[in-house]
Amino acid sequence: MISTSWGAPAAFTKGFNLQHVSDGLYGRHLHVYNWPGGELRQTLDLGDSGLLPLEAIDRVYVGSPIHTSFIVDRIRFLHDPSKDTGFVGSALTSNMIRFFKTKDGSWGHEVSISVKPLKVQNWILPEMPGLITDFLISLDDRFLYFVNWLHGDIRQYNIEDVNNPVLTGQVWVGGLIQKGSPVVAVGEDGQTWQTDVPEVQGKKLRGGPQMIQLSLDGKRLYVTNSLFSTWDKQFYPELVEKGAHMLQIDVDSEKGGLKVNPNFFVDFGAEPDGPSLAHEMRYPGGDCTSDIWI
């Protein structure tokens, strides 16, 4: 069983404070346990490239082949039980890190995908990380999807060669640098720019993409935009005032590609006791992050 050390409740429940990172209140380790039994076998230090690997426990395994049992999110093995490799998302440094079993039976890791921080103006820091807060892998293990909650985009990578992920789809559905925001990104040439974010059913998209869920056939990706109410208030106050929403992203599961579905929009600001902040999503018949359908 592999788990992460993402952060101390005394820190993250109060909102994000960069000083808490320096104080060691956010983690950068993966822990490998024997299961059942719970004996700690190995700790992987992800270093500065692995700050804030979000909360997770993934895959219970006994002997060989490995048996998968997904328990919580954000660290995921490939679905193929014969493959001793997977990914973990590092939120603050915005890296996807691949971990794998080595020939001697220990576990190693490497940065697989890196989202560069954007130089920005009119924000709390001179650079803005993407802030990878959720990701998943398609059931056939061909595609990996993740979100950048602050930048505002959802990405799709082909991972048929896990050593060389290839970007095959990207769509902007919010974020702090969308047109109309006071925050602007600054290119290498010094020119400022912002992203085009579509309206859906006449509604402006709020916040940034946060939780995602994929249908078993890999063709429908759903996304909500609330991370944690304290952080929502800090980075996207409008989200708390007007509520979250859920979108459908249509996926080209053959060649790759993402497109916002213009006919699907669930507004949680219109809830009877709202506005509400939507987070996790599940399919009654199963999805790509659970095995209830087996």
Side-chain angles (χ1 to χ4, degrees), residues 218-239:
K219 295 181 179 181
R220 292 170 292 126
L221 183 72
Y222 292 92
V223 55
T224 55
N225 51 350
S226 172
L227 172 57
F228 184 68
S229 60
T230 309
W231 290 41
D232 293 346
K233 292 175 185 177
Q234 183 177 1
F235 293 102
Y236 293 111
E238 183 185 42
L239 186 60

Side-chain angles (χ1 to χ4, degrees), residues 245-263:
H245 52 61
M246 179 167 60
L247 306 174
Q248 178 180 322
I249 309 299
D250 295 332
V251 178
D252 184 335
S253 58
E254 296 298 324
K255 299 179 181 178
L258 302 174
K259 183 184 298 184
V260 177
N261 187 311
N263 301 314

